Amino acid sequence: MTRTTTGSRSGDRTAPAKRPVGRPKLRIDPDEVAAVAIRLYDEHGFDAVSIEAVAEGLDVSRATLYRTVRSLDELHNILLERILSTVENRAGKILSAHDEPGTALIALIRFQIDASVRMRNYVGVYFGWGLSPEVYDKWRSWAGGYEQLWTEAVKSAVEAGYLESDDVRTTTRLILGMVNWVSRWYSSASGPTPDDIANSAIKLVLPNWSGPTPDSSAS
């Protein structure tokens, strides 16, 4: 007599494996990873962020996140790409929206100070601190291009007679250093607002400016 197994054809040794109800997520959108990492940096500071904390924030297992992010260096790379592309794209739109050199530089200063305040909890990534050599090389390449964008804006303002400069690149670096360093000392608990800080910076860079003082939004 032939022996049969329930749920299988006659003669089969085993029944087909039961298909699981759900499948684990194979890959996570890097934008989701970056969003959670930024939130964790904002809430807990730079040193508190880890792969495990990001996985928990995404409500996935460490193994699942590992398919997308294998190390803290890769996490920093994802975060760096999104921060830098956002900053550069926004700055480019601002310059395209303002043909007048003075208003363009003012809008750029306002934007950078606002960005410095918003990124103050993960400013190490933005400044390229503690990154792996490979990621740091990517940061250096970006930083050079972004500085050139600012240099062109400063050069236009100098040629229009809004400020004096014996060396446009040095002047650009001094202005960038000033607006970026806001991230190191700004405190939301007391003191001036980002808008107040921007007004002070504009008075230092363009002390004789009498025209409109645009915000950082691109039209």
Side-chain angles (χ1 to χ4, degrees):
M1 183 172 65
T2 303
R3 196 174 185 179
T4 61
T5 304
T6 303
S8 66
R9 294 180 180 176
S10 176
D12 286 349
R13 288 180 175 271
T14 58
K18 186 177 180 181
R19 184 176 180 177
V21 175
R23 293 178 179 271
K25 197 170 186 179
L26 295 179
R27 185 170 177 80
I28 299 170
D29 186 343
D31 287 333
E32 295 179 20
V33 175
V36 169
I38 287 172
R39 177 175 60 78
L40 291 173
Y41 280 125
D42 286 340
E43 293 176 354
H44 306 294
F46 189 85
D47 294 332
V49 177
S50 65
I51 299 299
E52 290 75 14
V54 172
E56 184 177 347
L58 289 165
D59 196 24
V60 299
S61 69
R62 174 67 178 83
T64 297
L65 181 59
Y66 188 74
R67 296 187 180 99
T68 301
V69 184
R70 294 175 177 265
S71 66
L72 202 56
D73 283 340
E74 288 191 16
L75 175 63
H76 286 159
N77 185 47
I78 290 172
L79 190 58
L80 183 73
E81 287 181 348
R82 275 138 188 87
I83 291 172
L84 301 189
S85 63
T86 298
V87 169
E88 186 170 16
N89 289 340
R90 181 71 185 280
K93 288 179 180 178
I94 287 170
L95 293 181
S96 297
H98 298 285
D99 295 330
E100 207 288 318
T103 57
L105 183 57
I106 287 172
L108 202 57
I109 289 171
R110 287 194 182 281
F111 161 71
Q112 196 64 39
I113 288 176
D114 180 69
S116 294
V117 168
R118 287 186 288 104
M119 294 187 297
R120 66 190 183 279
N121 291 322
Y122 46 94
V123 69
V125 176
Y126 176 72
F127 284 155
W129 299 339
L131 302 178
S132 66
E134 180 181 355
V135 179
Y136 182 72
D137 285 344
K138 184 181 296 185
W139 174 85
R140 285 188 62 187
S141 178
W142 173 85
Y146 192 58
E147 181 182 291
Q148 186 59 37
L149 180 151
W150 269 79
T151 300
E152 292 301 321
V154 171
K155 180 181 178 182
S156 295
V158 170
E159 291 175 347
Y162 292 123
L163 68 160
E164 297 182 5
S165 175
D166 294 327
D167 183 340
V168 171
R169 185 167 293 278
T170 297
T171 300
T172 300
R173 289 175 172 172
L174 287 170
I175 296 173
L176 263 177
M178 174 179 66
V179 296
N180 279 330
W181 203 247
V182 172
S183 62
R184 303 299 292 162
W185 56 263
Y186 173 80
S187 173
S188 58
S190 61
T193 66
D195 203 45
D196 293 333
I197 297 169
N199 289 336
S200 296
I202 292 165
K203 289 178 182 178
L204 283 173
V205 176
L206 301 167
N208 299 318
W209 178 257
S210 59
T213 53
D215 60 24
S216 60
S217 61
S219 58

